[in-house]
Amino acid sequence: MKDRFEAFTVLIAKISRNIRKIKNQEMAAYNLRSSHISCLYYLYSFNGLTATDLCERCEEDKATISRSLGYLENNGYITCDSKSAKRYKSLLTLTEKGKEVGKKIADKIDSVFGEISMGLTEEERISLYRSLSIISGRLEAIST
């Protein structure tokens, strides 16, 4: 059991650390952080979302998403269709600058997933995601 725990926690931590590292390396030229990248990716992929939608998709809390969106808006990556005080349910869309970076992010994600998929058959990939989903669900149930 001890070996399984160590292997599992170390591998998950390494995967997470490498994902963050790739995000940070790719976006350093734009002065963007990991949380900004997720927002831009989902806004690009869905052609606009609300902050509420982004919280769900990014699996981040409202404060983190609000800070990220504030930065992205102040730096010309996104725009909001509402200037009212309750903007959390307003549609956020990418500016031309945001679309350009969003495309680069989507292309990089496609490239990375193409590369990591080379070592897996389709059946292994499906099984991996199914297993990760089960593990995530069980850990969530245990933690609440």
Side-chain angles (χ1 to χ4, degrees):
M1 187 66 78
K2 182 181 174 191
D3 290 338
R4 283 180 23 203
F5 171 77
E6 289 174 7
F8 179 78
T9 57
V10 168
L11 288 171
I12 295 296
K14 283 174 78 173
I15 290 168
S16 180
R17 190 170 41 255
N18 284 320
I19 290 169
R20 255 192 328 277
K21 188 176 178 181
I22 291 167
K23 283 180 175 182
N24 290 333
Q25 287 171 344
E26 291 300 315
M27 293 296 115
Y30 298 101
N31 203 25
L32 296 172
R33 295 188 176 166
S34 183
S35 61
H36 303 143
I37 293 168
S38 295
C39 290
L40 289 170
Y41 172 74
Y42 286 116
L43 288 168
Y44 179 80
S45 297
F46 291 93
N47 201 24
L49 293 168
T50 65
T52 302
D53 295 331
L54 284 170
C55 284
E56 292 171 17
R57 296 228 179 254
C58 297
E59 285 286 323
E60 292 285 355
D61 60 59
K62 186 176 178 178
T64 300
I65 294 298
S66 291
R67 282 191 301 275
S68 293
L69 294 176
Y71 180 89
L72 292 171
E73 188 172 25
N74 290 337
N75 287 279
Y77 292 97
I78 65 170
T79 186
C80 181
D81 72 349
S82 172
K83 299 297 179 197
S84 70
K86 296 189 178 193
R87 296 175 40 172
Y88 216 67
K89 296 204 182 277
S90 298
L91 184 67
L92 301 161
T93 55
L94 296 174
T95 61
E96 287 306 313
K97 178 180 178 180
K99 288 176 186 174
E100 177 186 321
V101 176
K103 179 165 178 22
K104 287 183 181 185
I105 292 167
D107 290 347
K108 180 63 178 186
I109 288 170
D110 288 344
S111 169
V112 168
F113 274 91
E115 211 171 303
I116 62 175
S117 294
M118 283 185 206
L120 298 172
T121 66
E122 184 65 15
E123 294 79 22
E124 288 171 328
R125 187 188 59 76
I126 291 168
S127 178
L128 169 68
Y129 288 129
R130 182 180 173 279
S131 297
L132 287 172
S133 181
I134 291 167
I135 291 167
S136 178
R138 293 299 307 137
L139 288 171
E140 188 173 354
I142 291 166
S143 69
T144 55

